[in-house]
């Protein structure tokens, strides 16, 4: 079967979902009010609260939530076959992610731009709020570790992408000053910046002098002997240090200086990248060689693990953190909630869809697929690399040399991952400061102190040793826990949304139904992973790091869910909450 059929079915589902279902949610369930004064106007400070054009804000929101996760998750999940992965991406995006992302955005807008963690206090009580904040803190810490790990490894394996990625930073700062100081348009400058990035990527693909290859640099005998590590591990360490310095600066700058213009450039990267991939799909018309369902995947059951492996790309709790953490503080008009929140989820689904297609059409034969995806661990290790090669193959079908195509794909993936990384560090700073205010620890409420804690803890987790001579297994080891924690956060956020809708006298079923499914699948998956795989009494697969983190998250989540369901059961319409 041709891969075009998957794209066609996915496109129809996404179009119908946004055209009709999102309109129903916006008008009948959320009752969006264009006259409502948003926090961006009410608390405008030029740093975090900045009224923003909906197209620019969509660019920030989408690229912040996208990152590499909607690629990595599906790249692993196709291990069970492309059909279950496809169905969860399509249905999860429309009926779960769209409701979740736009709903958490609206709740925050109606509550002074407060984060979903802070809103838990108002909805289900102080104790649940503290537990929820700790779950969120662990999640963003894992996001930081995972995405720093992804970026560093992509830089090591694709050195031709580095200059193009880093040249985006001064270009974005230039755009920020040009637009916000001179009140100009961001569209043309961002397109120029994107053209400069891709031109640099093309040059770097052919001229090694434009490639920053730390492995080669640290590969000399003197460097290796001096560090006591392999050249690859030394290169990894160096990239983590550089990335952490970057995210410290990026997450403390006013959003208009770097975050918004860079994300707007990246939104164009998404459009260009998706256009190249889908046009390449139409031109090459590749056959699907991966199985619809993989009967040989017997080392891990797809049920319920599929629903936590594909997090971003179907539904993700991290999206709610971005919606309520940064996006709500920049929303110009409440009617933009549908465009920014729901369409942002659709964009993420489109990225996950093309990731599935690129992978399942990459292999010459089914045997090649099953050989590479020989087990769940192999899928974890190989999935992202297979996507980069598969996407490069689709773009190569347009006549673009494979070296250039692979570099461009790497630039896109790294740019998205870097956007998520510094947005996540900014969110972690908010949470640390919130906990500082809660426990009256005044020093950590300071922006730079909180950011320092966020950056150093993220670096420490990422650099967990993978052997006697190396660094860098932290992000990789925590990926299984990232999926469960992420989906738990999404389920709890939907539960909070259902309580909020019930208090307003709105129909809460669009939030309640996906919440029940998501919590059931995620808690079931956590029981399997934490207590039958990672536990110390399981000799073959025990993992103390995952077990400790997983047990803490599981206990906190059960406590919050019980508290929230108790509140939900007792809730009736409360007229005093109708305008919250």
């Amino acid at each position: 079967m041709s891969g075009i059929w998957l794209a066609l079915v996915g496109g129809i589902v996404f179009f119908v979902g946004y055209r009709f279902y999102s309109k129903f949610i916006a008008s009948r369930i959320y009752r969006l009010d264009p006259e409502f004064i948003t926090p961006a106007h009410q608390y405008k400070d030029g740093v975090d609260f900045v009224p923003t054009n909906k197209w620019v804000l969509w660019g920030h929101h989408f690229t912040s939530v996208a990152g590499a996760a909607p690629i990595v998750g599906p790249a692993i999940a196709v291990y069970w076959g492309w059909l279950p992965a496809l169905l969860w991406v399509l249905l999860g995006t429309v009926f779960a992610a769209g409701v979740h992302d736009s709903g958490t955005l609206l709740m925050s807008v109606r509550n002074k731009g407060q984060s979903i963690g802070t809103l838990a206090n108002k909805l289900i009580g102080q104790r649940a709020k503290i537990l929820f904040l700790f779950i969120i803190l662990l999640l963003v810490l894992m996001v930081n570790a995972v995405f720093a790990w992804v970026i560093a490894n992509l830089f090591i394996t694709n050195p031709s992408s580095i200059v193009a990625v880093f040249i985006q930073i001064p270009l974005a700062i230039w755009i920020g000053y040009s637009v916000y100081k001179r009140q100009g348009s961001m569209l043309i400058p961002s397109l120029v910046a994107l053209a400069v990035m891709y031109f640099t990527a093309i040059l770097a693909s052919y001229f090694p002098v434009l490639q920053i290859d730390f492995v080669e640099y640290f590969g000399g005998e003197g460097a290796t002997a001096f560090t006591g590590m392999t050249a690859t591990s030394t290169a990894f360490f160096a990239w983590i240090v550089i990335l952490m310095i970057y995210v410290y600066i990026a997450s403390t700058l006013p959003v208009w200086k770097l975050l918004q213009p860079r994300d707007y450039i990246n939104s164009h990267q998404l459009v260009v990248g998706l256009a190249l991939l889908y046009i390449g799909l139409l031109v090459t018309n590749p056959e699907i060689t991966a199985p619809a369902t993989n009967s040989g995947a017997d080392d891990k059951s797809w049920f319920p693990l599929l629903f936590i492996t594909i997090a971003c790309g179907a539904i993700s709790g991290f999206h709610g953190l971005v919606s309520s953490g940064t996006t709500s503080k920049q929303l110009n008009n409440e009617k933009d909630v549908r465009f920014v929140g729901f369409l942002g989820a659709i964009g993420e689904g489109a990225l996950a869809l093309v990731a599935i297609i690129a992978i399942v059409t990459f292999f010459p034969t089914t045997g090649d697929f099953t050989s590479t995806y020989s087990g769940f661990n192999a899928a974890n290790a190989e999935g992202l690399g297979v996507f980069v090669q598969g996407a490069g193959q689709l773009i190569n079908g347009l006549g673009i040399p494979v070296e250039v195509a692979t570099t461009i794909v790497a630039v896109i993936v790294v740019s998205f991952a870097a956007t998520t990384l510094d947005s996540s560090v900014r969110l972690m700073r908010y949470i640390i400061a919130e906990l500082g205010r809660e426990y009256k620890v005044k020093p950590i409420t300071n922006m730079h102190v909180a950011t320092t804690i966020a950056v150093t803890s993220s670096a420490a987790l990422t650099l967990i040793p993978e052997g006697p001579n190396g660094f860098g297994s932290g992000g990789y080891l925590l990926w299984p826990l990232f999926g469960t924690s992420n989906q738990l956060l999404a389920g709890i956020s939907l539960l909070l949304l259902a309580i909020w809708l019930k208090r307003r006298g709105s129909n809460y079923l669009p939030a309640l139904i996906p919440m029940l499914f998501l919590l059931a699948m995620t808690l079931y998956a956590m029981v399997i992973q934490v207590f039958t795989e990672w536990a110390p009494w399981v000799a073959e697969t025990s993992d103390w790091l995952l077990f400790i983190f997983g047990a803490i998250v599981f206990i906190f989540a059960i406590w919050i869910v019980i508290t929230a369901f108790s509140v939900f059961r007792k809730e009736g319409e409360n007229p005093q909450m109708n305008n919250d």
Side-chain angles (χ1 to χ4, degrees):
M1 184 173 72
S2 170
I4 293 176
W5 285 107
L6 300 189
L8 183 61
V9 170
I12 292 173
V13 171
F14 289 149
F15 174 79
V16 173
Y18 183 72
R19 175 65 180 82
F20 297 103
Y21 191 61
S22 74
K23 185 177 182 180
F24 165 76
I25 294 294
S27 60
R28 302 291 296 275
I29 306 299
Y30 295 156
R31 303 197 295 264
L32 300 182
D33 181 6
E35 302 300 321
F36 183 82
I37 300 175
T38 64
H41 290 282
Q42 189 173 1
Y43 306 106
K44 183 177 179 180
D45 62 4
V47 178
D48 294 317
F49 292 87
V50 180
T52 304
N53 175 277
K54 69 176 184 178
W55 290 95
V56 176
L57 185 57
W58 181 86
H60 153 70
H61 177 79
F62 173 73
T63 53
S64 294
V65 301
I71 296 169
V72 175
I76 297 171
V78 293
Y79 167 64
W80 293 298
W82 60 261
L83 183 58
L86 176 72
L87 291 176
W88 177 229
V89 165
L90 298 184
L91 299 178
T93 294
V94 173
F95 295 106
V99 174
H100 170 272
D101 295 11
S102 56
T104 50
L105 175 57
L106 177 61
M107 278 199 298
S108 180
V109 167
R110 286 299 182 98
N111 288 274
K112 304 177 182 179
Q114 295 174 334
S115 72
I116 190 69
T118 303
L119 290 175
N121 180 33
K122 189 172 187 178
L123 292 167
I124 56 178
Q126 177 74 4
R127 183 175 298 172
K129 168 199 170 183
I130 299 302
L131 297 177
F132 198 31
L133 283 175
F134 274 112
I135 289 179
I136 294 171
L137 188 64
L138 287 175
L139 177 64
V140 293
L141 179 60
M142 286 185 285
V143 168
N144 296 342
V146 168
F147 281 82
W149 180 84
V150 167
I151 295 169
N153 278 287
L154 282 173
F155 276 163
I156 289 171
T157 56
N158 298 275
S160 58
S161 67
I162 296 170
V163 174
V165 170
F166 274 88
I167 204 172
Q168 185 186 44
I169 298 172
L171 290 171
I173 293 174
W174 165 69
I175 292 172
Y177 274 100
S178 298
V179 171
Y180 287 95
K181 293 298 184 183
R182 301 177 185 175
Q183 300 299 311
S185 170
M186 192 179 288
L187 177 61
I188 301 302
S190 66
L191 292 175
V192 171
L194 185 61
V196 171
M197 288 178 63
Y198 284 170
F199 179 70
T200 305
I202 293 170
L203 288 179
S205 299
Y206 292 108
F207 299 101
V209 70
L210 293 176
Q211 300 179 13
I212 304 175
D213 192 341
F214 276 3
V215 175
E216 181 178 346
Y217 177 79
F218 290 115
E221 292 183 5
T224 304
F226 177 76
T227 60
M229 299 183 295
T230 64
T232 301
S233 295
T234 307
F236 184 87
F237 178 84
W239 276 123
I240 294 301
V241 172
I242 293 170
L243 287 171
M244 292 303 155
I245 293 172
Y246 159 73
V247 295
Y248 182 96
I249 297 171
S251 62
T252 54
L253 285 175
V255 292
W256 60 267
K257 282 188 178 180
L258 177 59
L259 185 142
Q260 285 184 350
R262 185 210 51 214
D263 292 354
Y264 194 52
I265 296 171
N266 287 341
S267 70
H268 295 314
Q269 281 210 80
L270 168 77
V271 174
V272 171
L274 289 179
L276 288 174
L277 289 171
Y278 280 111
I279 294 173
L281 176 67
L282 291 174
V283 171
T284 59
N285 190 24
E287 289 293 311
I288 298 172
T289 53
T293 57
N294 186 5
S295 59
D298 52 5
D299 60 332
K300 291 276 188 180
S301 172
W302 72 271
F303 185 88
L305 295 183
L306 172 74
F307 305 104
I308 61 170
T309 301
I310 301 181
C312 301
I315 180 172
S316 165
F318 183 72
H319 294 193
L321 298 184
V322 175
S323 291
S324 64
T326 60
T327 306
S328 63
K329 297 175 178 62
Q330 302 171 60
L331 194 77
N332 183 56
N333 191 291
E334 190 174 284
K335 64 181 174 56
D336 296 338
V337 163
R338 178 191 177 206
F339 181 85
V340 174
F342 210 106
L343 191 60
I346 295 291
E348 181 117 323
L351 183 56
L353 174 63
V354 80
I356 293 172
I357 296 171
I359 293 167
V360 302
T361 60
F362 171 70
F363 297 94
T365 66
T366 303
D368 292 316
F369 173 87
T370 55
S371 175
T372 301
Y373 281 77
S374 57
F376 188 72
N377 289 335
N380 272 276
E382 302 293 337
L384 183 59
V386 172
F387 165 76
V388 172
Q389 295 177 68
Q393 180 175 275
L394 290 178
I395 296 176
N396 178 243
L398 299 176
I400 299 174
V402 67
E403 297 85 358
V404 174
T406 302
T407 298
I408 289 176
V409 172
V411 168
I412 294 173
V413 174
V414 171
S415 297
F416 287 172
T419 294
T420 302
L421 179 61
D422 62 49
S423 293
S424 179
V425 171
R426 185 181 290 262
L427 292 170
M428 192 172 179
R429 182 242 296 176
Y430 293 158
I431 296 164
I432 292 171
E434 175 69 19
L435 289 171
R437 286 188 289 270
E438 190 65 42
Y439 289 105
K440 296 180 174 54
V441 185
K442 189 173 181 180
I444 66 173
T445 62
N446 177 272
M447 177 176 69
H448 292 286
V449 174
T451 306
T452 299
I453 295 172
V455 168
T456 53
S457 60
S458 300
L461 183 58
T462 311
L463 292 171
I464 290 176
E466 59 183 350
N469 298 312
F471 284 108
S473 64
Y476 174 76
L477 288 176
L478 285 173
W479 181 257
L481 186 57
F482 168 78
T484 51
S485 302
N486 199 17
Q487 299 307 74
L488 270 181
L489 179 59
I492 295 170
S493 297
L494 283 171
L495 180 51
L496 296 178
L497 178 60
I499 293 172
W500 186 73
L501 290 172
K502 192 174 183 180
R503 286 186 178 180
R504 299 179 75 217
S506 299
N507 181 358
Y508 51 80
L509 289 179
L512 185 68
I513 293 173
M515 176 271 294
L516 291 173
F517 175 80
L518 196 61
L519 283 181
M521 293 300 101
T522 308
L523 290 173
Y524 180 24
M526 284 204 81
V527 169
I528 293 174
Q529 290 184 317
V530 175
F531 300 108
T532 68
E533 291 184 11
W534 303 334
W537 52 82
V538 184
E540 296 82 5
T541 57
S542 64
D543 189 309
W544 274 102
L545 180 69
L546 289 175
F547 175 72
I548 293 172
F549 272 88
I552 292 172
V553 171
F554 182 78
I555 293 170
F556 283 6
I558 291 293
W559 195 331
I560 295 168
V561 168
I562 291 173
T563 303
F565 268 112
S566 177
V567 171
F568 179 80
R569 187 171 53 85
K570 297 175 182 177
E571 279 295 336
E573 181 176 352
N574 185 346
Q576 294 179 346
M577 299 290 291
N578 282 350
N579 291 321
D580 283 3

